Amino acid sequence: MAGESSPLLRSCMPSSDGSGSTNGNGNGNGNDNAKKEPEWSLEDTEKLSAFAEQNPSIFSAAYLLRDAIILAKSNSSFAHTDYLISSYDNSVNRSSEYNTYRKILVNPFIKGLTKLCVFGLVLLSFIEPPNWCRGFSDGDSDGLNGCEDALAMKGTPLFYTDDTETREQYYYPSSGAMALTVYQSLYIERALVGFLLLHLILCLAKDGFSIERYFCLNLSRMHEVDAVAKKRIRTVAAFRYVRLFALFFIMMGMVNFSPDNPQRIYSHLWRIILFISFSEGIQNELMVVVKILPAILSVGFVLTLVIGFYGLIGIAAFYNTKEGVQHFDNYVDGVWTLFTSMTTVIYPDVMMAGYNDNRFVAIYFITYMMLTFFFFQNVILGIITNEYTSSHELREDELETSRMQYIKQAFNLLTNDMETDAVTRDQLMAIFLILNTDCYEIQAIPHNEALLLFAVLDTDGSEMLEFEEFCEFGNVMLLEFIGYEKFQSTFERIFPSVLESTFYTKLRKVILLSWFDYSIDVMVFINAVIVIVQMYPMLAGTEVVSKDDAYDLMRDGRIDTKWEVAETFFTVLFVIEMTLKITVLGWNRYTLSMRNCFDGLVTFLSAAATFYVYYPNSYSNSELIRFILVARSLRVLRLCLVIDHFKSMSHAVLGIMPAAGRVVLALFCVVFLWSWIGMFWFGGKITRDPNNPLAARLEGTDFAGSFYWANNFNDMLSGLNVCYNLLVINNWNVLESGIMAICDTKYYRFYFLSFYIVGVMIVNNLVVALIIVEH
């Protein structure tokens, strides 16, 4: 909660972050905020503590209500992977020692540092030396840091694709992201893993150093736990096992490292698994994929039979023809040709050899594409959408069922204890006190806000909470109370007397009028028109060669052209606008609007760029400002918000952001995993080194002819780019031609096949499904 005086009810809508982690009541960051000292008097605290000690059921009820609050905020099937549902075991909840460990775990700095360490391990995979070249040596240097030699080698390649290529080429093209040596990477990894081990120890300590409790081993004996909670707890336990194994194998890799054994080929795999074990959002999407997998496999099996059947027809129909020689030379190549056609990457090119000779060939390919591309792929999309919708609804129902069950159990405990049919004020105040002192997952509740929360729940003013009123506990605890002073501007706090002045009153009135924003919109539109006119020669593709031209004068670092005068005028104008709004509205209210945040950021960047360019220094190219002005011109998009369709579309886009974040993270993990597999199999094999026999295999391939040298798996970042190229399907057959040329077997085609199934057919369709469901 925010604000200590004059509390104002601001919002009662639950919110959630993209990762799916849950928060307590207040400003939406319950778990991410430090536990503040609530304003409870010593007398109230002693009185309520004594009351709670006399009625032990209040503690159990408080822990149940803690879970109700967490579940009310959660969009996850299992509230948070670091905390067990309290109804499972409350044996250590009241221990001061274990509460200390829990307090440390929910500390925002510790939580942020934990996330940073997990992400740091993933990031490390992109900037450390690739495994394939760690033992590389040119005979003159240490092989341990062989990547520095391999990735820096350049000279005359074995062959040139055409005469436009630079004479000197890197023999092993890479992204150039390698920033660490092998030992530097190892030291950083040890530090990151060391902190994560400490975090694991704290998690065990929080559960009383009980392996049984931490991994929920006695769940079968907990008969009072409902089936939904058991499923959630089993999932939590499963990912805790995964986390433990991932840390173990990462440490084993570090232990086994030596100059003679520098290649830790599986470290990337365990890092991404560890990342998944810490990301609840990814776990949610993974659970959805597991549920829909049987249905997808069934359709995939039928689709495979169709492709196989058409492969047989193709072998028979095109035997000893040009079409057959090119694409149906044998059954395996024929089936691969048909699969590639289904992805549309070579259609209709694949049929042209036969179609030129006989127009009836089109019937074969058209019927095949109708069945596979138009029918079966859309069936898969329908299955994923339907299952995603069902999973989404089931998750909502499960959360609501569990939340209401905890509230009902808490109500029964409290009423049975007092032998009444309602909850008293003292009982609820005692619960608030316990939530403050014992439940660090929930943000502290000041005394005045605790009274106000009770008043909100007590709709009939009876000073007692009936069951119907008590059922709203979880939602009411999400209310945010913000004091008026939080929205006071710094100017108002420093000069309070100005508030009553006639000038400030009129200024405030003008700034808050709608026509003020309309006037700014007009100026933004004019600015956008001027930017387009200024950049017209560039947009039209015409070259400017005269040194007296305004385009050239833009490079002298002085305000001496009409365009620079206009740009400076608009920059000053928008700085004044931003300053006036912040002065009147205050920083907190100003930043509540996403439009203000975007406008303020662009205005700040354009002002900073203007000052940097025109202030006397060595940098004098005012073209830097143009890039900022182009971004500022995007402010005209806010004019679209007056149109209902654009307004509803913008709300829909903002609404799906949390779910989209989870799917994007899942997609990143898929791309990361296949990038690692690609580097594991193909790292260092895309080469132009004349002394490497693999280079000769690439000559004459579509890969070399299309200048695809940078599309390789020589490091993780290059592999990541390749996988995103595969995700959009276009021209992936060109990349495949290069990979197949350097491989001794066609079985590596399964790499592309598996990525298409997982990345395109499943995860990509999940994006479509979430847009349909969330919208």
Side-chain angles (χ1 to χ4, degrees):
M1 293 199 175
E4 287 75 21
S5 62
S6 304
L8 302 173
L9 180 61
R10 178 171 171 265
S11 171
C12 61
M13 294 301 294
S15 62
S16 59
D17 59 20
S19 67
S21 60
T22 60
N23 303 308
N25 83 312
N27 60 9
N29 295 311
N31 282 352
D32 297 326
N33 290 320
K35 198 78 171 177
K36 299 184 297 183
E37 287 297 327
E39 299 173 344
W40 293 72
S41 67
L42 180 60
E43 180 182 356
D44 287 335
T45 302
E46 292 177 347
K47 176 184 175 182
L48 292 173
S49 296
F51 179 73
E53 292 294 338
Q54 295 171 3
N55 302 275
S57 60
I58 291 179
F59 287 95
S60 298
Y63 301 137
L64 287 166
L65 292 175
R66 176 195 66 182
D67 294 328
I69 297 170
I70 290 176
L71 290 176
K73 291 289 291 182
S74 177
N75 59 0
S76 164
S77 299
F78 33 90
H80 196 286
T81 53
D82 283 336
Y83 302 100
L84 284 177
I85 303 301
S86 62
S87 59
Y88 166 58
D89 184 2
N90 279 311
S91 60
V92 298
N93 273 329
R94 296 181 59 190
S95 167
S96 59
E97 179 184 355
Y98 303 136
N99 272 338
T100 301
Y101 298 133
R102 291 169 55 219
K103 185 176 182 179
I104 294 173
L105 284 171
V106 299
N107 182 278
F109 176 76
I110 298 299
K111 290 186 66 178
L113 195 57
T114 303
K115 294 178 181 178
L116 185 63
C117 287
V118 175
F119 179 74
L121 285 173
V122 175
L123 179 63
L124 193 63
S125 301
F126 295 96
I127 60 176
E128 68 180 359
N131 281 305
W132 66 268
C133 59
R134 290 189 177 187
F136 182 91
S137 176
D138 58 2
D140 299 326
S141 61
D142 180 16
L144 182 61
N145 293 319
C147 292
E148 297 180 7
D149 301 322
L151 300 181
M153 289 178 62
K154 62 187 304 185
T156 303
L158 181 65
F159 64 90
Y160 293 101
T161 302
D162 62 25
D163 294 336
T164 62
E165 284 196 283
T166 307
R167 294 298 94 182
E168 270 200 346
Q169 296 286 337
Y170 283 101
Y171 288 161
Y172 296 90
S174 71
S175 65
M178 189 184 76
L180 303 173
T181 65
V182 174
Y183 278 118
Q184 288 172 342
S185 171
L186 186 64
Y187 296 149
I188 293 174
E189 186 175 23
R190 285 173 177 171
L192 297 177
V193 172
F195 181 84
L196 293 177
L197 279 175
L198 177 61
H199 180 271
L200 178 62
I201 294 172
L202 288 173
C203 289
L204 285 168
K206 179 261 301 182
D207 287 324
F209 290 101
S210 170
I211 299 297
E212 183 180 57
R213 175 180 166 85
Y214 183 74
F215 289 111
C216 318
L217 298 179
N218 62 344
L219 182 60
S220 59
R221 300 196 299 272
M222 303 297 292
H223 302 294
E224 68 276 13
V225 180
D226 63 281
V228 174
K230 283 185 177 181
K231 183 176 69 172
R232 185 162 53 246
I233 293 171
R234 288 193 185 99
T235 308
V236 171
F239 280 107
R240 288 182 172 182
Y241 279 117
V242 169
R243 183 182 304 178
L244 182 63
F245 281 115
L247 280 171
F248 172 77
F249 285 112
I250 290 175
M251 289 188 296
M252 287 297 295
M254 292 189 294
V255 170
N256 293 331
F257 174 85
S258 69
D260 297 326
N261 182 31
Q263 297 180 341
R264 298 170 51 219
I265 55 178
Y266 296 107
S267 60
H268 297 69
L269 173 63
W270 296 116
R271 288 172 188 173
I272 198 64
I273 290 176
L274 184 66
F275 180 77
I276 293 172
S277 74
F278 274 93
S279 175
E280 189 181 338
I282 301 175
Q283 294 165 20
N284 279 322
E285 302 310 316
L286 188 59
M287 293 299 101
V288 174
V289 172
V290 170
K291 289 180 180 178
I292 65 179
L293 202 56
I296 292 178
L297 290 176
S298 300
V299 178
F301 177 73
V302 178
L303 178 60
T304 302
L305 292 179
V306 170
I307 295 175
F309 177 71
Y310 268 82
L312 291 173
I313 297 177
I315 291 293
F318 302 124
Y319 179 74
N320 205 25
T321 65
K322 187 177 180 181
E323 179 76 25
V325 171
Q326 289 183 358
H327 303 294
F328 292 89
D329 187 43
N330 57 70
Y331 182 70
V332 173
D333 285 348
V335 168
W336 183 254
T337 295
L338 290 172
F339 164 73
T340 311
S341 300
M342 184 187 70
T343 68
T344 71
V345 70
I346 61 171
Y347 186 83
D349 298 9
V350 65
M351 75 173 190
M352 295 313 299
Y355 183 67
N356 287 330
D357 294 334
N358 188 339
R359 296 297 189 268
F360 286 104
V361 168
I363 297 175
Y364 171 82
F365 286 99
I366 289 175
T367 56
Y368 170 77
M369 292 298 291
M370 289 290 290
L371 281 172
T372 58
F373 179 72
F374 289 104
F375 180 71
F376 280 107
Q377 293 218 47
N378 284 311
V379 167
I380 292 174
L381 173 60
I383 290 173
I384 292 176
T385 302
N386 183 61
E387 292 295 331
Y388 193 90
T389 304
S390 300
S391 298
H392 178 81
E393 294 174 351
L394 180 62
R395 182 166 65 236
E396 294 291 328
D397 291 342
E398 288 179 347
L399 291 173
E400 181 63 19
T401 300
S402 296
R403 187 179 70 86
M404 291 307 301
Q405 182 176 0
Y406 296 143
I407 290 177
K408 185 177 180 179
Q409 290 177 6
F411 184 82
N412 291 335
L413 284 171
L414 295 171
T415 53
N416 292 340
D417 195 34
M418 300 297 292
E419 297 182 354
T420 62
D421 57 355
V423 176
T424 66
R425 177 196 292 268
D426 285 343
Q427 285 178 310
L428 195 62
M429 291 299 107
I431 285 174
F432 286 144
L433 186 62
I434 295 170
L435 291 176
N436 281 340
T437 56
D438 290 1
C439 303
Y440 293 99
E441 299 88 347
I442 308 300
Q443 191 174 351
I445 308 165
H447 184 259
N448 61 332
E449 294 181 0
L451 294 173
L452 187 54
L453 285 170
F454 181 85
V456 172
L457 286 169
D458 185 20
T459 55
D460 59 5
S462 64
E463 298 296 315
M464 301 279 285
L465 299 181
E466 307 290 340
F467 179 71
E468 291 75 13
E469 296 171 325
F470 194 76
C471 284
E472 294 300 317
F473 184 89
N475 290 329
V476 168
M477 286 296 291
L478 302 181
L479 294 175
E480 184 176 354
F481 300 94
I482 299 180
Y484 169 75
E485 68 279 358
K486 182 175 181 179
F487 285 105
Q488 281 186 304
S489 67
T490 304
F491 185 77
E492 291 175 349
R493 285 195 295 269
I494 297 176
F495 306 105
S497 59
V498 176
L499 291 173
E500 305 300 329
S501 67
T502 304
F503 173 77
Y504 184 81
T505 303
K506 290 183 178 179
L507 175 65
R508 181 181 180 83
K509 184 177 180 180
V510 169
I511 298 299
L512 296 178
L513 286 174
S514 57
W515 71 259
F516 180 80
D517 275 337
Y518 294 152
S519 301
I520 296 299
D521 290 339
V522 171
M523 300 307 295
V524 169
F525 180 77
I526 295 173
N527 180 214
V529 171
I530 291 176
V531 170
I532 293 174
V533 173
Q534 175 188 352
M535 296 182 64
Y536 178 77
M538 186 184 302
L539 297 173
T542 58
E543 292 188 5
V544 180
V545 296
S546 173
K547 290 187 177 295
D548 296 328
D549 193 274
Y551 181 75
D552 292 311
L553 292 175
M554 287 285 289
R555 302 172 184 271
D556 61 6
R558 295 193 300 272
I559 306 177
D560 50 12
T561 71
K562 58 184 179 181
W563 304 120
E564 291 175 314
V565 171
E567 290 169 357
T568 305
F569 167 76
F570 282 112
T571 298
V572 173
L573 175 67
F574 293 132
V575 167
I576 293 173
E577 175 226 355
M578 181 179 73
T579 303
L580 289 175
K581 282 189 173 181
I582 293 176
T583 300
V584 170
L585 300 177
W587 178 257
N588 290 321
R589 185 171 296 169
Y590 178 83
T591 53
L592 280 178
S593 168
M594 293 300 296
R595 186 175 70 176
N596 284 343
C597 291
F598 174 75
D599 293 347
L601 176 63
V602 175
T603 299
F604 172 78
L605 291 176
S606 59
T610 301
F611 179 81
Y612 180 64
V613 169
Y614 296 133
Y615 184 81
N617 58 68
S618 59
Y619 188 88
S620 60
N621 189 349
S622 53
E623 285 186 299
L624 171 66
I625 302 174
R626 180 180 293 130
F627 294 105
I628 306 297
L629 294 179
V630 171
R632 188 165 69 196
S633 300
L634 294 176
R635 291 178 64 177
V636 299
L637 294 177
R638 71 181 189 175
L639 301 178
C640 298
L641 296 179
V642 300
I643 304 173
D644 290 337
H645 291 296
F646 282 103
K647 189 181 298 184
S648 61
M649 183 178 67
S650 63
H651 291 161
V653 170
L654 292 175
I656 67 173
M657 283 301 178
R662 297 194 302 269
V663 176
V664 167
L665 280 176
L667 181 60
F668 169 77
C669 290
V670 170
V671 171
F672 182 97
L673 182 59
W674 260 261
S675 299
W676 167 74
I677 296 172
M679 191 173 69
F680 178 74
W681 280 345
F682 315 123
K685 294 185 178 180
I686 297 295
T687 176
R688 310 193 73 174
D689 186 357
N691 297 318
N692 192 326
L694 291 176
R697 298 186 184 184
L698 293 167
E699 189 170 8
T701 61
D702 292 339
F703 179 91
S706 300
F707 300 95
Y708 268 40
W709 298 108
N711 281 345
N712 58 63
F713 294 96
N714 290 344
D715 64 347
M716 280 294 293
L717 195 59
S718 296
L720 201 71
N721 176 67
V722 169
C723 288
Y724 275 111
N725 292 342
L726 296 177
L727 195 64
V728 297
I729 300 173
N730 194 33
N731 282 357
W732 71 265
N733 60 311
V734 177
L735 175 66
E736 184 231 351
S737 71
I739 297 298
M740 289 301 100
I742 59 174
C743 294
D744 297 323
T745 175
K746 293 182 179 180
Y747 286 116
Y748 286 110
R749 284 173 172 171
F750 282 106
Y751 174 84
F752 299 96
L753 174 63
S754 60
F755 183 82
Y756 182 82
I757 294 173
V758 176
V760 179
M761 297 181 73
I762 297 180
V763 179
N764 205 27
N765 282 333
L766 276 179
V767 177
V768 179
L770 80 89
I771 291 174
I772 294 173
V773 172
E774 299 292 337
H775 182 62

